[in-house]
Amino acid sequence: MAEETENRNGSAKSISIRSMNKYYGSFHALKDFSIEVEAGEFLVILGPSGCGKSTALRMIAGLESISSGELLIGDTNVTEVLPKYRDIAMVFQSYALYPHKTVAENIGFPLKMAKVPTNERHAAVQVAAEQVELHNHLDRFPSQLSGGQRQRVALARAIVRRPSVFLMDEPLSNLDAKLRGNMRAELKHMQSELGITTIYVTHDQIEAMTLANRVAIMKDGVIQQIGTPKEVYSDPVNLFVAGFMGLPPMNFINGTITAGKFLTSDAEIDASGIPDTKQATFGFRPEDCKVVAAGKGLIDANVYTVEMTGDQVLVTFDLRGGHLVVKMPKDFEIATGISAGITLDKNQAYFFDSEHGPRLHANQI
Ligand code: ATP
């Protein structure tokens, strides 16, 4: 049942996406895409380049036709409705500001197009500019603003329309790393203040983890998992999700599972309760394991490189040409080239069917 809740702008609307498909000729770009987005929720669609996330967003916006399936915004079926009647605002990677218009004119442009009376328009621009903290720069031109300020003008231009839904396609990716971090925090704060239902597309898992109420992870046009950031990180349903979430990524070792044991040429690891699997992958996160003396851990390997990142030390091991990474505290020291052990608790281990992908055991949270 579609939902509507009050937000500062009037009403936030739920979005129901039901078995949405997209074909470009014979190419099936989006496959049975279904999500129920709650009113006021911040949903992030995350996936590698080419997985279909922008296609999905453009279909919700009405910029791409829906080959089959249904899309509801609130209680209204908008599958065939033109973009301008969907009550959405989009923010893209490029700010697309008018260079010869001031900040105030850029923000107020959608209202001018909608023939909103001047007084009302000025008042709305003032409110939107205050929400993105640009009210002291209303007379400036885009060339007199920083990248972050320009992106905030684009956000204000979206807010001023008081839409029911925000759709954002990588809106922060043109900014440098520090500014991106600041804007992320601002965007999250603003979205929760305004309570506008938001769907945000990115390939950056940190952005997804920090912004989202829930994340939908996609691969090859198919949603792999939908869950809170904690769920998709700690409880991945398959090898793809486990490898995509986390930086440095989860460590993987290939082997077989026979009679409750994971076997490789380098180690024998307890996998009790897990069914026999011919092609299995053992996974563990860099922050869940520790470096110990050779022979004292689950597996021994040679230290390949040691990197001090400021708040931690990343120790990379070489295992038959593959790499395993362990996060250690910032005062940890070890020489490269020596053999050392890696240890972890059994409940921090993940096992996957590497031929088909799914995890072989239940929830670990
Ligand atoms: P990126 O992060 O690189 O933008 P994405 O996940 O947003 O990637 P999409 O742009 O949605 O990916 O594209 C999904 C797939 O659909 C890609 O294989 C792409 O080549 C294909 N595709 C997108 N638009 C068209 C089109 N107009 N005609 C044919 N194929 C298309």
Short mmCIF file of all heavy atoms in Angstrom, two decimals, residues 24 27 29 48-55 170, ligand 1:
data_model
loop_
_atom_site.label_atom_id
_atom_site.label_comp_id
_atom_site.label_asym_id
_atom_site.label_seq_id
_atom_site.Cartn_x
_atom_site.Cartn_y
_atom_site.Cartn_z
N TYR A 24 17.05 -2.45 -24.59
CA TYR A 24 17.53 -1.60 -25.69
C TYR A 24 17.70 -2.55 -26.87
O TYR A 24 18.69 -3.30 -26.92
CB TYR A 24 18.88 -0.96 -25.34
CG TYR A 24 18.81 0.08 -24.25
CD1 TYR A 24 19.41 -0.15 -23.01
CD2 TYR A 24 18.19 1.31 -24.46
CE1 TYR A 24 19.37 0.81 -22.01
CE2 TYR A 24 18.15 2.28 -23.45
CZ TYR A 24 18.74 2.02 -22.24
OH TYR A 24 18.70 2.96 -21.24
N PHE A 27 19.07 -6.09 -26.12
CA PHE A 27 19.86 -6.06 -24.89
C PHE A 27 18.96 -5.78 -23.67
O PHE A 27 18.27 -4.77 -23.61
CB PHE A 27 20.97 -4.98 -25.00
CG PHE A 27 21.79 -4.84 -23.75
CD1 PHE A 27 22.53 -5.91 -23.27
CD2 PHE A 27 21.82 -3.64 -23.06
CE1 PHE A 27 23.29 -5.80 -22.11
CE2 PHE A 27 22.58 -3.50 -21.90
CZ PHE A 27 23.31 -4.59 -21.43
N ALA A 29 18.76 -4.53 -20.38
CA ALA A 29 19.60 -3.69 -19.50
C ALA A 29 19.15 -3.71 -18.05
O ALA A 29 19.97 -3.61 -17.14
CB ALA A 29 19.60 -2.25 -20.03
N PRO A 48 28.64 -1.28 -10.04
CA PRO A 48 29.75 -0.89 -10.93
C PRO A 48 29.23 -0.25 -12.22
O PRO A 48 28.04 -0.34 -12.53
CB PRO A 48 30.45 -2.22 -11.22
CG PRO A 48 29.40 -3.26 -11.01
CD PRO A 48 28.46 -2.73 -9.97
N SER A 49 30.15 0.36 -12.95
CA SER A 49 29.80 1.02 -14.21
C SER A 49 29.10 0.03 -15.14
O SER A 49 29.54 -1.12 -15.28
CB SER A 49 31.09 1.53 -14.84
OG SER A 49 30.78 2.18 -16.03
N GLY A 50 27.99 0.47 -15.72
CA GLY A 50 27.30 -0.36 -16.71
C GLY A 50 26.29 -1.33 -16.12
O GLY A 50 25.67 -2.10 -16.85
N CYS A 51 26.07 -1.30 -14.79
CA CYS A 51 25.15 -2.28 -14.19
C CYS A 51 23.69 -1.91 -14.39
O CYS A 51 22.80 -2.72 -14.11
CB CYS A 51 25.46 -2.46 -12.70
SG CYS A 51 24.98 -1.05 -11.70
N GLY A 52 23.41 -0.68 -14.83
CA GLY A 52 22.02 -0.30 -15.12
C GLY A 52 21.42 0.68 -14.13
O GLY A 52 20.23 0.98 -14.20
N LYS A 53 22.23 1.25 -13.24
CA LYS A 53 21.65 2.12 -12.20
C LYS A 53 21.13 3.44 -12.77
O LYS A 53 20.04 3.89 -12.38
CB LYS A 53 22.63 2.34 -11.04
CG LYS A 53 24.03 2.74 -11.45
CD LYS A 53 25.00 2.54 -10.30
CE LYS A 53 26.34 3.17 -10.65
NZ LYS A 53 26.97 2.66 -11.87
N SER A 54 21.86 4.05 -13.72
CA SER A 54 21.35 5.30 -14.31
C SER A 54 20.11 5.03 -15.15
O SER A 54 19.18 5.84 -15.18
CB SER A 54 22.41 5.96 -15.20
OG SER A 54 23.49 6.35 -14.43
N THR A 55 20.11 3.88 -15.81
CA THR A 55 18.92 3.51 -16.60
C THR A 55 17.70 3.44 -15.68
O THR A 55 16.64 3.98 -15.99
CB THR A 55 19.16 2.14 -17.29
OG1 THR A 55 20.26 2.29 -18.18
CG2 THR A 55 17.94 1.67 -18.05
N GLU A 170 24.86 10.52 -9.21
CA GLU A 170 26.26 10.84 -8.89
C GLU A 170 26.47 12.34 -8.71
O GLU A 170 27.40 12.90 -9.33
CB GLU A 170 27.19 10.34 -10.02
CG GLU A 170 26.93 8.88 -10.40
CD GLU A 170 28.09 7.96 -10.13
OE1 GLU A 170 29.03 8.38 -9.44
OE2 GLU A 170 28.02 6.81 -10.57
P1 ATP B 1 27.72 4.27 -15.21
O1 ATP B 1 28.03 4.28 -13.74
O2 ATP B 1 28.94 3.98 -16.05
O3 ATP B 1 26.92 5.44 -15.67
P2 ATP B 1 25.32 2.63 -15.08
O4 ATP B 1 25.28 1.54 -14.07
O5 ATP B 1 24.59 3.87 -14.75
O6 ATP B 1 26.83 2.95 -15.47
P3 ATP B 1 23.66 2.53 -17.42
O7 ATP B 1 24.05 3.85 -17.98
O8 ATP B 1 22.35 2.42 -16.76
O9 ATP B 1 24.79 1.98 -16.42
O10 ATP B 1 23.76 1.45 -18.59
C1 ATP B 1 23.39 0.09 -18.38
C2 ATP B 1 23.65 -0.71 -19.64
O11 ATP B 1 22.72 -0.29 -20.66
C3 ATP B 1 25.04 -0.50 -20.21
O12 ATP B 1 25.49 -1.73 -20.73
C4 ATP B 1 24.83 0.50 -21.34
O13 ATP B 1 25.79 0.33 -22.35
C5 ATP B 1 23.42 0.16 -21.81
N1 ATP B 1 22.73 1.33 -22.35
C6 ATP B 1 22.46 2.49 -21.69
N2 ATP B 1 21.79 3.35 -22.49
C7 ATP B 1 21.65 2.73 -23.70
C8 ATP B 1 21.03 3.09 -24.95
N3 ATP B 1 20.43 4.26 -25.11
N4 ATP B 1 21.10 2.18 -25.94
C9 ATP B 1 21.69 0.98 -25.79
N5 ATP B 1 22.26 0.57 -24.63
C10 ATP B 1 22.25 1.42 -23.61
#
